[in-house]
Amino acid sequence: MKKHFIKVVLSSAVIVGSFTSCKNSGSSSSKNVSRATGWKINAKEGGFQFNSDFKEQETPPGTVFIEGGTFTKGKVQDDIMHDWNNTPTQQHVQSFYMDETEVTNVMYLEYLDYLKAVYPPENPNYRNIYHGALPDTLVWRNRLGFNETMTNNYLRHPAYAEYPVVGVNWVQASQYAEWRTDRVNEAMLEREGYLAQDAKYKVLNGEISETFSTEAYLNNPQSVYGGQIDSLQGKQKRDSINVYAKRSSGVIMPEYRLPTETEWEYAAQALIGSREYNNYRGRKKYPWEGDYTRNGQRVGRGDQLANFKQAKGDYGGIAGWSDDGADITAEVKSYKPNDFGLYDMAGNVSEWVADVYRPIVDDEISDFNYYRGNIFLKKAIGEDGKVKVLKDEIKYDTLPNGKIVAMNLPGEIEMVPVTEEETYLRTNFDSSDNRGYRDGDAGSSRFFERFSDESNNRMMYDSPKHKVERDSTGNLIRQYDTSNYRTSLINDEVRVYKGGSWRDRAFWLDPAQRRYMPQYMATDDIGFRCAMSRVGSKSKSKNKTVRHKKASK
C-alpha cells in the first residue's frame, strides 16, 4: 500500500512537471514580446509600438478620483416644489475624475488671458473668440439692490481670485473644458519629451502661428502649430519610431468636460464614507452625514457646513455669531470636503452639468452611465484623404441672447454628424442627434403619425422658436415666435444645473434636486467644475492591492 502511494505521487509530479514545461515554452517572460505571435514589441528595427510600461491613468491636474458604483439617483428628501421632475432610479456610474473645487475666477482668467494673447481681439477675425468667452459681469445687477462693487470687481480683483467664477453660461463652460484639455495634454507631451521644453509658450510669444489641438495632434500631427511642429520636437525625436505620441503611448489624457448629471449627483452624495443601508438606498440628505446643516462634531460644533441662504433676508447669519462666513459666494475650500474630497458640492454656487433637461429619467433604456445629450460626430476627411484641420475657418454662432461665440478655434479638427453609413443595421443608435430620443423627438410625439401636419404638431416640448442673428454690420435681427400653441419652455438647448447656491434655501442642497435653464443664459449663482472619464480599471492600484490582501486572508 505504501509503495503504491509513492508511485502515484511520483506519477502526478511527472504530469504536473510536463504541464509546467509546456506552459513555459508557450509563454513570454518579457513584456516586450507578443503573447500572440512571439514577435518583438517596441523593437528598434520597427514593427508594433505600444506602451507596455503603462500602469494606470494618473490623476489629472486639479481633480480627485471618484470610484464608480451603484446608487439611487433622484431620491429627493424634501419635494417642496412638487414639480414632478425627479423619479428615483438605481444607476451605476463608472469611475471618473472630478475637480475638487468649482472653477475659480483665477482659473478662468488664465483661459481669457490665453485667448487674448493667441487670438488678439484687435484682429477683426478673432474679435469674437475672446469676447464670446467673457463672463457676463452684469448678472450681479439688481433693479433694487446696490451690487456694482461685484459687477466691477468680482471677476478680476485679486480679493476674489479663489472664488467660483459666475456669469458663465453652459456653452462657455463647455468650451473652457475643451481648451483645458489641450493645455493639459500639451504639458504632458512636453513632460514626456514629445515636445521641446517650454514649447507651449511659443504660441503666446508669437513665435509660432497656431496653437495645439489634442485631436489634431493625434490624427494629423504635421498640421499642429501651423505645420511647425517639427521644430518643436523633444528628446523622443532621437528615436525615429517615437516622433509623435499616439493613444497607444498612454500619454494623452481623455478630455476634460462637464460632468453628467448622474456623475455629479453620485459624487455629491459620496456614499463611499457611509456604510448605512438607508444611505445606499437614497436616504442621504446632504453631501455630509446627518439631517442638519450645522456641524454636530465636537470641533466646530454649530458651524454651518455650507454657504446658503438661511432665511428670507438672511444670507449669512448674524455677524460674529451663527455666521456661515459669506454673504455672496465664499472662497473655495472654506468648508469641509465630502468623503470623496470634493468641496462645495452643496451651497456656494449651483453648477452646470452636461445633460439636456427632461422631467423623467428613462432608466428603461439605460441604467449605466446615464446621460441625455449625445450628438455623435465623426472627423471630416479632406480631399487629400487626411483628417480636415480648420485653419482660418472659424465658425461662429449667435446665441438667442445675441452673444456671438466661436464654435471652433483655428487648428482644430472639423467634426461632422454621422451618416447612415455609420448607423446602418446598428441596434445601439440610428442617428447623430439623440438629445430628444424617446422624449422629445418625432417618434415620441403623441401625434407622430400626423407629424408633418403643422396644425396637429402638438409635441410635449414645443417651446418657442425664436430666431436671432446679426447682420454684416453687427446689428441684431430678432424674429420672435408668435405662435399661440407653445406650451413648454423645454427644448434641446435647455440644460440641467445641480446643487444649491448662496441664493438658495437649504432644501436645494440635496444632491438629488435638479433645475434647468437655457444653455445660453448665465446668473450670479451658477458656476461649474470639470470632470474626466477614467480609462482602465475601476479602482486605483492602492485600492486594488488592499482588496487583494483581504481576499488572500
Side-chain angles (χ1 to χ4, degrees):
M1 179 69 72
K2 185 175 182 181
K3 291 181 180 180
H4 177 69
F5 175 76
I6 294 174
K7 183 178 180 180
V8 172
V9 172
L10 290 175
S11 299
S12 300
V14 172
I15 293 173
V16 172
S18 65
F19 274 109
T20 304
S21 176
C22 179
K23 180 181 178 181
N24 287 338
S25 64
S27 63
S28 169
S29 60
S30 172
K31 59 186 176 182
N32 285 322
V33 176
S34 169
R35 290 191 292 114
T37 63
W39 285 37
K40 291 181 181 179
I41 299 175
N42 302 320
K44 293 182 179 179
E45 297 80 7
F48 181 50
Q49 302 295 310
F50 191 80
N51 184 359
S52 55
D53 292 323
F54 185 83
K55 296 294 187 296
E56 67 173 13
Q57 181 180 354
E58 66 176 274
T59 302
T63 68
V64 296
F65 173 67
I66 310 295
E67 183 174 343
T70 299
F71 80 114
T72 301
K73 176 183 177 180
K75 182 65 175 178
V76 295
Q77 303 303 308
D78 299 312
D79 191 12
I80 296 176
M81 305 302 291
H82 297 291
D83 49 8
W84 299 97
N85 74 341
N86 239 334
T87 303
T89 63
Q90 185 160 301
Q91 297 283 333
H92 190 94
V93 184
Q94 275 188 297
S95 298
F96 62 102
Y97 298 88
M98 197 175 199
D99 276 341
E100 63 174 348
T101 72
E102 297 109 346
V103 171
T104 62
N105 284 318
V106 71
M107 293 168 68
Y108 201 86
L109 285 173
E110 182 184 11
Y111 168 52
L112 294 176
D113 185 72
Y114 184 94
L115 294 181
K116 192 172 186 178
V118 178
Y119 310 106
E122 299 81 22
N123 185 331
N125 294 328
Y126 295 154
R127 182 177 184 275
N128 288 312
I129 292 179
Y130 175 73
H131 288 280
L134 286 172
D136 182 5
T137 57
L138 301 184
V139 294
W140 289 105
R141 283 184 171 167
N142 186 312
R143 294 181 182 86
L144 297 177
F146 180 72
N147 299 328
E148 287 303 290
T149 300
M150 278 83 78
T151 300
N152 297 326
N153 294 283
Y154 183 82
L155 175 63
R156 299 185 183 276
H157 198 286
Y160 296 111
E162 293 298 334
Y163 284 58
V165 67
V166 297
V168 175
N169 61 45
W170 184 94
V171 176
Q172 292 173 314
S174 299
Q175 291 179 337
Y176 170 87
E178 294 175 8
W179 169 85
R180 185 177 175 185
T181 300
D182 292 335
R183 304 291 75 76
V184 169
N185 279 326
E186 196 173 15
M188 294 291 292
L189 290 171
E190 184 179 301
R191 187 190 74 181
E192 298 300 320
Y194 289 96
L195 292 176
Q197 191 69 26
D198 296 332
K200 58 183 179 290
Y201 296 115
K202 293 187 180 297
V203 66
L204 294 173
N205 300 329
E207 298 179 43
I208 52 179
S209 58
E210 290 183 12
T211 185
F212 172 90
S213 165
T214 301
E215 289 300 319
Y217 179 86
L218 288 171
N219 292 276
N220 191 354
Q222 292 84 0
S223 68
V224 178
Y225 294 125
Q228 303 177 63
I229 190 170
D230 287 340
S231 63
L232 299 174
Q233 293 290 345
K235 61 183 180 181
Q236 292 284 359
K237 190 175 182 180
R238 300 170 193 164
D239 183 352
S240 59
I241 297 174
N242 294 322
V243 173
Y244 304 115
K246 303 175 182 178
R247 290 200 192 276
S248 58
S249 304
V251 176
I252 303 294
M253 286 194 169
E255 69 277 2
Y256 282 90
R257 54 179 173 76
L258 292 179
T260 67
E261 180 182 4
T262 309
E263 287 175 333
W264 194 98
E265 189 172 325
Y266 173 82
Q269 285 193 10
L271 300 178
I272 190 173
S274 174
R275 294 296 179 265
E276 294 185 19
Y277 179 75
N278 284 339
N279 287 344
Y280 170 76
R281 300 298 297 174
R283 302 293 177 82
K284 191 175 182 182
K285 188 173 183 178
Y286 300 116
W288 52 83
E289 294 292 339
D291 295 328
Y292 304 98
T293 62
R294 292 188 182 276
N295 188 355
Q297 300 176 356
R298 173 187 288 183
V299 179
R301 185 183 297 275
D303 290 346
Q304 291 287 3
L305 296 172
N307 174 22
F308 65 99
K309 183 178 179 179
Q310 298 177 31
K312 184 175 179 60
D314 185 357
Y315 289 84
I318 300 173
W321 179 82
S322 188
D323 191 3
D324 67 11
D327 38 29
I328 54 168
T329 56
E331 185 173 345
V332 296
K333 297 187 177 182
S334 294
Y335 305 90
K336 292 182 179 180
N338 69 6
D339 290 324
F340 274 131
L342 299 169
Y343 293 87
D344 295 319
M345 294 301 283
N348 215 18
V349 292
S350 302
E351 299 178 17
W352 289 113
V353 295
D355 292 58
V356 168
Y357 173 80
R358 290 293 188 270
I360 298 174
V361 171
D362 189 353
D363 64 327
E364 292 182 4
I365 288 296
S366 177
D367 58 2
F368 181 78
N369 284 349
Y370 188 90
Y371 165 64
R372 179 177 289 277
N374 280 315
I375 301 179
F376 299 124
L377 305 174
K378 64 178 181 178
K379 302 173 182 67
I381 305 299
E383 296 180 357
D384 58 357
K386 295 182 179 180
V387 169
K388 186 177 180 181
V389 178
L390 297 168
K391 295 296 184 180
D392 299 322
E393 306 170 48
I394 307 172
K395 297 181 179 180
Y396 293 100
D397 187 23
T398 302
L399 302 180
N401 60 358
K403 193 177 186 71
I404 300 177
V405 295
M407 304 311 293
N408 71 277
L409 296 178
E412 293 182 346
I413 284 180
E414 181 179 2
M415 304 296 290
V416 295
V418 297
T419 62
E420 292 183 359
E421 293 182 5
E422 287 78 29
T423 62
Y424 179 66
L425 291 182
R426 287 189 177 274
T427 58
N428 54 334
F429 72 100
D430 58 8
S431 63
S432 175
D433 189 344
N434 295 271
R435 292 174 295 178
Y437 178 65
R438 283 170 55 96
D439 196 357
D441 57 7
S444 62
S445 172
R446 179 182 177 185
F447 295 93
F448 171 66
E449 295 179 355
R450 294 174 290 171
F451 189 74
S452 60
D453 186 352
E454 180 65 26
S455 63
N456 290 312
N457 185 2
R458 303 287 187 270
M459 293 184 65
M460 182 181 296
Y461 306 117
D462 57 347
S463 61
K465 294 177 173 57
H466 307 304
K467 185 177 180 181
V468 180
E469 58 185 3
R470 289 184 182 269
D471 60 20
S472 58
T473 61
N475 295 320
L476 274 177
I477 302 175
R478 303 179 181 91
Q479 295 180 359
Y480 295 108
D481 188 338
T482 59
S483 171
N484 294 323
Y485 298 103
R486 302 303 183 188
T487 60
S488 171
L489 294 177
I490 300 173
N491 57 35
D492 290 341
E493 280 73 46
V494 168
R495 302 286 174 166
V496 178
Y497 67 96
K498 300 281 283 184
S501 74
W502 64 275
R503 281 191 177 276
D504 294 317
R505 301 293 291 271
F507 66 85
W508 289 112
L509 304 184
D510 186 336
Q513 295 282 7
R514 61 201 302 254
R515 289 172 282 183
Y516 64 92
M517 181 178 289
Q519 63 186 28
Y520 60 86
M521 294 184 67
T523 71
D524 62 358
D525 60 348
I526 299 181
F528 71 101
R529 71 179 78 208
C530 297
M532 179 186 290
S533 299
R534 175 172 170 82
V535 294
S537 61
K538 177 178 184 287
S539 305
K540 300 189 76 172
S541 295
K542 181 175 64 176
N543 296 342
K544 287 185 289 185
T545 302
V546 171
R547 289 173 183 171
H548 177 72
K549 288 180 178 179
K550 288 181 178 179
S552 300
K553 292 181 180 179

